[in-house]
Amino acid sequence: MTLGEIMNIGVIGLGFVGLSISSVLASKNYNVVGIDIDKQKCSDIRNGVLPLFEPDLENTLRIGLKKKLTISNNFSLIKNCDIIFVTVGTPQKSNGAIELSMIKKATTTIGQIIRKSKKNSIIFIKSTVVPGTTQNVILPILEKESGKKVNRDFGVISNPEFLQESNAIRDTKYPHAIVLGGKQSKYMKKAKMFFSKMHPNVPIVITNFQTAEMIKYANNSFLATKISFINQLSNICQNIPGTNIDDIAKIIGLDPRIGKLFLNAGPGYGGSCLPKDINALINFANKIGVNPILLNAVKNTNREQVSNIVSLMKKILGDITSKRITILGTAFKPNTDDIRDSKSIELIKKLLKNKAKIIIHDPKAIENTKKIFGEKILYTKSIADALNKSQCVIIMTHWKQYDTLNNNSIKHMNKKNIIDCRRVLVKKELDAKYYAIGIGKN
Ligand code: UDX
């Protein structure tokens, strides 16, 4: 086997990770087959219509489709692939554990296909799975279904993914590190050569399966810890008149031992990964007899953030029944239409329980938000309409559109109360009662 042989690549599961990888690799002239069980989704993608909003993805997909990207729900197309990326979801069960049914199904099918294939394929497991899953669940399925032997007839490598939504294409093209977990073998050598050619100068760490699997959880739980840490501090700062959490974050971030990123205080972390991965790691730790005290605190701190916003609002407005409240931003962060585990959605649910009247604005996530709340809340594409007659506005997501808010924008509010969870307007002189997370009121 030589490096030159890697030309045909399969990607199983076309969520934002699978779509980004397929599009980027195809744009770099590899023959890529992107597979998803959802027929309609495949047909939309073939027509350049994305199931999600992700900056640069549409353009990269278009380039890929013009080159050598095939999108299909026909798994058998992977039989000629030199390497296969598995990027199916591992969603959360109600107890926090991960649901393996999709990855079991995908690897069963892959096994059945490689049974008939003459290729010595390498299967990269990108889906996030708890330590032990590749060794104890995925390998036995692949060997049983293929009738072949791992490391002799095919390779399996745990290859966790660190890309961020809203930066998916940039992160796919320029990852900060590459992790390859598995046995030392000709397949590992070939994988290393493939990635060093794709990403020269990017550190490649070769380790075993369980360490590679754990690295992903370590990464995300550390990020979540940083966020909960700064949120906890911001709650303290809010009660010290004149204190500013951003100045504190900026200064401690200059200490190279701490680092400046992921120290933005806010309503808590959301999205499809951080909350799920913390829960999965807590569940896993408990199962193996370790009490994850710190991770539980990170999770609880995160949960409290939204309750703190509701308490603040009640302090400002008194009873919030029938009060008109504006929410700016429902996406879990800017530049995405993703509302999975969004703190904004959690806040709206709590406010609805208190019988508030909610109107929301979001540049991209209105359609997804409608799928949850239907007619229970109001939606608008205009920030001015969102603020009209409102008794309190809460900035939940830092869309750049909100930077321009000023006294003119709020002039038709019924009561000028602003809760700024992202400190977007902190430097403005506003004719309003202004409360910001992490800023101690004088
Ligand atoms: C995360 C990881 O960053 C990524 O490496 C992994 O592959 C997938 O999970 P993502 O879900 O796209 O990526 O979101 P991220 O940018 O990490 O933000 C997560 C949440 O934390 C958002 O709700 C965001 O608003 C919040 N956040 C982030 C803060 O509140 N403060 C910060 O300083 C950073």
Side-chain angles (χ1 to χ4, degrees):
M1 276 190 297
T2 65
L3 170 65
E5 287 170 9
I6 291 186
M7 273 318 290
N8 299 327
I9 298 176
V11 180
I12 311 284
L14 299 178
F16 83 99
V17 174
L19 261 175
S20 304
I21 292 172
S22 317
S23 306
V24 168
L25 289 173
S27 73
K28 289 181 181 286
N29 299 318
Y30 288 99
N31 298 319
V32 182
V33 285
I35 308 284
D36 199 284
I37 45 168
D38 186 334
K39 214 172 174 177
Q40 183 59 46
K41 189 184 191 181
C42 290
S43 139
D44 288 346
I45 297 170
R46 272 196 300 273
N47 293 321
V49 179
L50 289 174
L52 43 89
F53 169 72
E54 176 63 42
D56 286 344
L57 179 55
E58 203 171 329
N59 190 33
T60 316
L61 173 69
R62 201 174 320 119
I63 297 168
L65 287 170
K66 270 195 202 143
K67 292 188 169 179
K68 294 164 177 173
L69 175 59
T70 306
I71 300 289
S72 176
N73 66 330
N74 179 3
F75 274 69
S76 66
L77 293 182
I78 61 163
K79 73 173 183 297
N80 292 322
C81 287
D82 306 298
I83 60 179
I84 300 162
F85 290 103
V86 179
T87 57
V88 297
T90 47
Q92 185 172 180
K93 291 195 214 173
S94 54
N95 65 358
I98 50 168
E99 170 61 60
L100 290 176
S101 57
M102 278 194 268
I103 198 159
K104 282 182 180 167
K105 213 169 151 195
T107 43
T108 300
T109 312
I110 294 171
Q112 289 161 357
I113 292 167
I114 59 176
R115 175 178 277 271
K116 297 173 223 146
S117 162
K118 290 197 175 73
K119 290 266 176 192
N120 297 107
S121 313
I122 310 175
I123 297 142
F124 290 96
I125 308 298
K126 277 205 167 288
S127 308
T128 303
V129 289
V130 294
T133 309
T134 305
Q135 182 71 50
N136 303 325
V137 181
I138 295 174
L139 278 190
I141 292 177
L142 285 167
E143 288 194 326
K144 175 170 171 258
E145 299 298 332
S146 66
K148 294 184 176 178
K149 190 103 192 76
V150 70
N151 290 329
R152 190 189 68 196
D153 307 317
F154 65 94
V156 176
I157 292 176
S158 169
N159 175 223
E161 181 54 61
F162 304 103
L163 68 83
Q164 276 179 287
E165 286 187 44
S166 82
N167 284 318
I169 295 298
R170 184 204 65 185
D171 289 351
T172 304
K173 287 182 176 166
Y174 312 106
H176 66 270
I178 289 150
V179 177
L180 301 175
K183 292 254 158 43
Q184 284 294 353
S185 67
K186 60 186 178 183
Y187 295 100
M188 185 60 90
K189 264 194 198 145
K190 189 173 175 179
K192 190 178 174 207
M193 278 163 74
F194 171 72
F195 280 105
S196 29
K197 186 186 164 206
M198 274 279 290
H199 306 292
N201 309 321
V202 174
I204 298 180
V205 176
I206 296 181
T207 182
N208 56 28
F209 287 132
Q210 55 276 39
T211 307
E213 291 164 328
M214 190 62 185
I215 286 171
K216 171 72 186 208
Y217 285 100
N219 214 86
N220 274 354
S221 57
F222 188 77
L223 295 175
T225 304
K226 260 187 130 176
I227 299 169
S228 277
F229 167 80
I230 204 73
N231 284 341
Q232 175 95 91
L233 280 198
S234 87
N235 294 341
I236 300 172
C237 288
Q238 244 164 276
N239 291 291
I240 311 171
T243 323
N244 182 324
I245 193 65
D246 288 326
D247 287 348
I248 293 168
K250 196 170 156 191
I251 298 303
I252 63 169
L254 290 175
D255 184 331
R257 294 169 299 176
I258 296 177
K260 65 179 181 188
L261 300 177
F262 275 67
L263 286 176
N264 288 315
Y269 57 81
S272 65
C273 290
L274 260 46
K276 172 180 89 101
D277 291 353
I278 294 293
N279 286 341
L281 188 54
I282 289 173
N283 179 282
F284 180 73
N286 283 328
K287 245 188 215 159
I288 58 172
V290 177
N291 180 9
I293 302 169
L294 176 64
L295 298 176
N296 277 320
V298 168
K299 178 181 168 170
N300 292 337
T301 306
N302 198 52
R303 196 174 40 211
E304 284 301 300
Q305 281 309 87
V306 167
S307 305
N308 292 341
I309 300 168
V310 177
S311 305
L312 176 60
M313 187 178 295
K314 285 183 175 168
K315 226 161 125 186
I316 301 167
L317 292 176
D319 184 9
I320 57 176
T321 310
S322 302
K323 301 255 163 86
R324 187 177 169 97
I325 291 165
T326 307
I327 307 284
L328 295 183
T330 54
F332 83 97
K333 66 177 184 179
N335 297 317
T336 175
D337 61 356
D338 197 343
I339 57 164
R340 284 176 289 174
D341 260 320
S342 165
K343 287 287 154 183
S344 192
I345 300 298
E346 202 180 310
L347 175 68
I348 296 170
K349 284 183 180 162
K350 280 198 164 42
L351 295 177
L352 284 177
K353 266 196 189 143
N354 283 275
K355 301 197 169 49
K357 285 191 179 154
I358 310 291
I359 180 156
I360 68 129
H361 173 273
D362 190 287
K364 292 285 177 197
I366 287 187
E367 288 314 310
N368 282 337
T369 310
K370 272 187 187 162
K371 287 180 201 154
I372 295 191
F373 295 109
E375 301 197 336
K376 287 189 194 138
I377 63 173
L378 298 168
Y379 310 85
T380 174
K381 287 186 174 156
S382 141
I383 301 177
D385 287 349
L387 294 172
N388 194 20
K389 299 197 178 93
S390 175
Q391 288 173 294
C392 184
V393 53
I394 312 169
I395 303 173
M396 289 295 285
T397 313
H398 191 165
W399 285 99
K400 69 176 184 322
Q401 288 86 330
Y402 304 148
D403 288 345
T404 57
L405 288 174
N406 55 25
N407 279 324
N408 194 38
S409 340
I410 59 170
K411 70 180 175 205
H412 295 304
M413 285 182 78
N414 177 300
K415 295 233 163 60
K416 292 175 186 167
N417 293 307
I418 303 174
I419 300 179
D420 188 348
C421 298
R422 306 283 180 180
R423 295 165 308 287
V424 176
L425 307 175
V426 76
K427 295 208 170 107
K428 299 208 175 163
E429 294 279 327
L430 291 168
D431 174 21
K433 283 192 176 147
Y434 178 77
Y435 306 83
I437 280 191
I439 306 287
K441 252 189 141 22
N442 282 310

